[in-house]
Amino acid sequence: MTETAAPERTAGAERPARPETARPARPRAAKPNGQWKVDGTAPLNSNEVWKQEDGGLSVRERIESTYAAGGFDSIDPTDLHGRFRWWGLYTQRKPGIDGGKTATLEPHELEDRYFMMRVRIDGGALTTEQLRVIGGISRDFARGTADITDRQNIQLHWVEIENVPEIWRRLESVGLRTTEACGDVPRVILGSPVAGIAADEILDPTPQIREIADRYIGDDSFANLPRKYKTAITGHPSQDVVHEINDFALIGVVHPELGPGYDLWVGGGLSTSAHLAVRLGAFVEPSRAAEAWVGVTSIFRDYGYRRLRNRARLKYLVADWGAEKFREVLETEYLSAPLPDGPAAETPTTPGDHVGVHRQKDGRFYIGATPTVGRVSGDVLVKLADLIEAHGSARLRTTPHQKIVVLDVEQDRVDSLVAGLEELGLYANPSPWRRSTIACTGIEFCKLAIVDTKDTATEAIAELEKRIPANQLLRPLTLHVNGCPNSCARIQTADIGLKGQLLPDGNGGQTPGFQVHLGGGLASDTRGEAGTGRTVRGLKVTAEDLPDYVERVTRRFLADRADENQTFAEWALAAEEEALQ
């Protein structure tokens, strides 16, 4: 059979009729994912273009030399909406814009001329001097605002660009920074709030956290990742750093031959598509922790998906590759030698929020206390620093549960400190509701939010404390309130998770409300392994009716549970839909 040339077409000629047995079309070539080691480094979207043209770290010089002098109107739009994040700065939401406009207005229409600034606190470790400086900055430049986040940072609001250089000067004078607190970079490193002081600690992760933070944060090698990258490291058996929802996590374990070290997890993340991290089965000796971090982070940089922003997190690569391939690439392409196999961590037997009074390994005490949904103020931070020092200590920690932990308290000063904390709105003996409720920033300041969170959650706590006293709950129910679908408050991993949305008000309008997630949770003293909650079709609750709903479903649980040992999550995952309404 010989080949024949296709007939030529002249201008105006009719197209030849397609034969009935036409050859099937060739399959369309798959679009590149923007993986640098596979597709090359040519940028495939506008974000990747400006990141390559001029990296996010470079904008600091312009902030200090140009924008602080010229004011908000002098800021280049790409810097404002892109590179500023590399230095912990986002424009905050303009007051008075309701949630119904969040998805319809352009970013410049939603944003105010003020900034949210995120102070990076790796491992949650603070001195009272540092705390006092943050409190002073809040008073002087942020209208007294300060929120403790569930990433162990402290967030300020109402920051003006003119004041940013002075804020940096004050922070850096006491060893704090905002470097890479946001952006497509390695974010703050979560660390055990009781690192180095807990009597039951497997090992102290502080040296590993410091090595990674000191060597690689602000390093150009990792300043252009596909998306944000989250790290968590703990040596405490309570697994107190929510490792299952981080990109890279090390959990303390004891190897039968190599001694204390870490179990390696990768690829966790929530947002609108929840993926729990996977365990690689690899044991990481403390001396190789930074090497392992660099290896996993480099895989993300080199193989992560960059074309589509909504698929650019490490969790999607891990899901596609699987644990076996990921470990193989890590060990053969990025590490100096393979990692030994290692044991899984045991199920926690104590709570990981560290609330209450606990004895340290040196005989002194640490005290965990909760503000209400992470909200404090500059005045509270300064007074807290004074209170801690007056009780003979100079150290505290923030936690991944919006709590604070005061370290190094002598036994005869514990009661006095607990009383002083309560006067500041920090509770070492909180109700179950106050202890276990967290909330994201919400519509008050966030451009992505649809509903209010902080005030809604605070009001719900006050009501639930009246309606369901502590003696009716054997253990706290986690209540997580989020202002949009992005899950900054980890709604999929709460007993009761609430995702903000607008609901019909019955009069042709809309009212703030939430979609309900039930029965989620991370590994804890009441749960063997992590799992995301269930949603029930049509199960939504208005913000106004939130206390009524939580009371109703809690009382149904208390009445219907199999026995006192059954947890809310176990009950909710098995219950008929009618019981959850």
Side-chain angles (χ1 to χ4, degrees):
M1 182 176 179
T2 60
E3 294 183 0
T4 58
E8 294 185 5
R9 290 187 61 205
T10 58
E14 291 185 3
R15 182 183 299 271
R18 183 186 295 267
E20 290 186 8
T21 56
R23 192 168 47 183
R26 257 183 284 176
R28 182 179 298 174
K31 289 185 177 179
N33 283 314
Q35 297 170 280
W36 281 0
K37 272 205 168 185
V38 176
D39 306 310
T41 59
L44 299 180
N45 62 50
S46 59
N47 278 279
E48 293 299 313
V49 169
W50 66 252
K51 286 195 294 179
Q52 287 196 27
E53 289 176 346
D54 187 17
L57 292 174
S58 69
V59 81
R60 173 159 179 162
E61 190 278 331
R62 292 193 288 280
I63 291 173
E64 293 178 318
S65 66
T66 303
Y67 302 145
F72 188 88
D73 291 332
S74 71
I75 303 171
D76 174 83
T78 304
D79 284 347
L80 180 66
H81 300 122
R83 299 183 184 95
F84 269 40
R85 290 176 287 167
W86 271 241
W87 291 96
L89 292 164
Y90 283 104
T91 51
Q92 67 186 39
R93 188 187 190 92
K94 190 179 296 182
I97 300 178
D98 66 62
K101 296 180 180 177
T102 297
T104 61
L105 295 180
E106 296 296 321
H108 70 274
E109 296 175 295
L110 284 166
E111 71 188 4
D112 209 342
R113 300 168 67 86
Y114 300 93
F115 292 90
M116 178 276 287
M117 173 177 273
R118 186 174 293 159
V119 180
R120 181 185 184 116
I121 307 172
D122 289 297
L126 285 170
T127 65
T128 48
E129 179 187 25
Q130 291 171 326
L131 187 68
R132 189 175 287 109
V133 166
I134 297 173
I137 291 170
S138 169
R139 285 174 165 178
D140 294 345
F141 304 118
R143 300 189 187 180
T145 59
D147 288 338
I148 299 170
T149 77
D150 59 7
R151 297 290 305 173
Q152 293 182 283
N153 296 310
I154 294 179
Q155 285 184 183
L156 309 175
H157 296 280
W158 300 109
V159 172
E160 296 177 283
I161 192 63
E162 292 87 345
N163 296 322
V164 169
E166 172 61 15
I167 293 173
W168 281 338
R169 187 195 68 76
R170 293 193 193 183
L171 289 173
E172 291 166 5
S173 73
V174 292
L176 293 171
R177 55 186 171 171
T178 67
T179 314
E180 297 184 334
C182 314
D184 298 349
V185 291
R187 303 285 184 90
V188 66
I189 302 170
L190 296 188
S192 172
V194 294
I197 57 104
D200 55 347
E201 186 175 53
I202 298 168
L203 76 166
D204 180 2
T206 303
Q208 288 76 57
I209 293 172
R210 286 179 176 167
E211 181 180 4
I212 294 168
D214 291 347
R215 291 179 62 182
Y216 301 111
I217 301 309
D219 183 337
D220 283 330
S221 300
F222 301 113
N224 180 3
L225 302 178
R227 283 290 299 273
K228 59 188 174 184
Y229 181 76
K230 298 181 177 182
T231 300
I233 306 176
T234 184
H236 195 265
S238 66
Q239 301 174 20
D240 48 7
V241 292
V242 296
H243 66 281
E244 303 99 327
I245 55 173
N246 281 265
D247 298 282
F248 173 94
L250 296 175
I251 305 302
V253 293
V254 178
H255 193 284
E257 290 144 18
L258 301 173
Y262 298 103
D263 191 26
L264 175 56
W265 294 64
V266 298
L270 295 177
S271 191
T272 55
S273 176
H275 291 233
L276 296 175
V278 299
R279 179 176 173 266
L280 295 189
F283 180 77
V284 179
E285 296 173 78
S287 62
R288 298 190 68 190
E291 181 192 4
W293 184 90
V294 168
V296 174
T297 311
S298 299
I299 287 178
F300 184 42
R301 178 195 62 204
D302 297 343
Y303 286 103
Y305 304 145
R306 292 175 181 262
R307 181 171 66 88
L308 299 176
R309 294 282 291 174
N310 63 358
R311 275 185 53 83
R313 288 293 301 276
L314 181 63
K315 62 187 180 183
Y316 295 104
L317 181 68
V318 172
D320 288 347
W321 278 10
E324 185 177 352
K325 178 178 178 179
F326 194 97
R327 182 174 174 180
E328 179 186 0
V329 173
L330 173 66
E331 293 179 334
T332 58
E333 295 187 27
Y334 292 94
L335 299 185
S336 60
L339 297 168
D341 293 339
E346 296 182 5
T347 300
T349 58
T350 57
D353 63 4
H354 303 297
V355 169
V357 178
H358 309 269
R359 186 179 293 275
Q360 298 180 179
K361 64 174 66 175
D362 64 4
R364 292 181 292 180
F365 290 80
Y366 65 89
I367 300 169
T370 179
T372 301
V373 295
R375 176 136 291 175
V376 284
S377 69
D379 284 344
V380 166
L381 297 182
V382 172
K383 291 176 181 178
L384 176 60
D386 294 341
L387 178 69
I388 294 170
E389 289 176 354
H391 286 77
S393 176
R395 295 198 298 163
L396 71 153
R397 305 268 170 82
T398 54
T399 87
H401 302 279
Q402 297 182 337
K403 312 289 188 283
I404 63 104
V405 179
V406 180
L407 311 185
D408 308 330
V409 182
E410 299 290 348
Q411 185 170 7
D412 61 355
R413 296 187 170 189
V414 167
D415 291 343
S416 173
L417 180 58
V418 167
L421 289 170
E422 188 161 341
E423 289 177 7
L424 296 177
L426 303 167
Y427 302 91
N429 298 298
S431 73
W433 299 110
R434 198 168 298 270
R435 176 174 182 170
S436 61
T437 300
I438 67 174
C440 72
T441 300
I443 201 171
E444 181 181 9
F445 296 119
C446 179
K447 299 191 298 291
L448 300 177
I450 302 167
V451 302
D452 173 85
T453 54
K454 295 286 190 183
D455 291 338
T456 299
T458 299
E459 292 166 7
I461 289 168
E463 278 296 312
L464 292 165
E465 286 177 335
K466 297 175 189 174
R467 300 184 190 188
I468 305 179
N471 60 9
Q472 294 186 23
L473 287 176
L474 293 178
R475 57 182 65 90
L477 270 63
T478 51
L479 177 64
H480 293 187
V481 184
N482 211 77
C484 77
N486 287 317
S487 202
C488 293
R490 310 196 293 256
I491 54 173
Q492 298 99 323
T493 58
D495 287 317
I496 303 173
L498 302 167
K499 180 175 74 176
Q501 56 184 224
L502 295 176
L503 304 177
D505 65 2
N507 297 310
Q510 294 179 311
T511 189
F514 303 92
Q515 182 186 56
V516 180
H517 296 248
L518 296 167
L522 302 176
S524 69
D525 57 319
T526 63
R527 186 176 185 128
E529 60 183 32
T532 55
R534 65 184 286 194
T535 57
V536 176
R537 185 180 298 275
L539 180 51
K540 300 174 183 180
V541 58
T542 66
E544 183 180 5
D545 292 337
L546 177 57
D548 291 341
Y549 173 74
V550 176
E551 178 188 14
R552 184 165 66 249
V553 75
T554 302
R555 292 196 181 281
R556 186 65 182 262
F557 157 63
L558 294 173
D560 291 357
R561 61 185 172 178
D563 54 52
E564 290 188 349
N565 293 319
Q566 187 177 34
T567 66
F568 180 88
E570 289 169 339
W571 171 80
L573 293 174
E576 297 292 333
E577 291 188 0
E578 179 275 330
L580 304 176
Q581 299 294 329

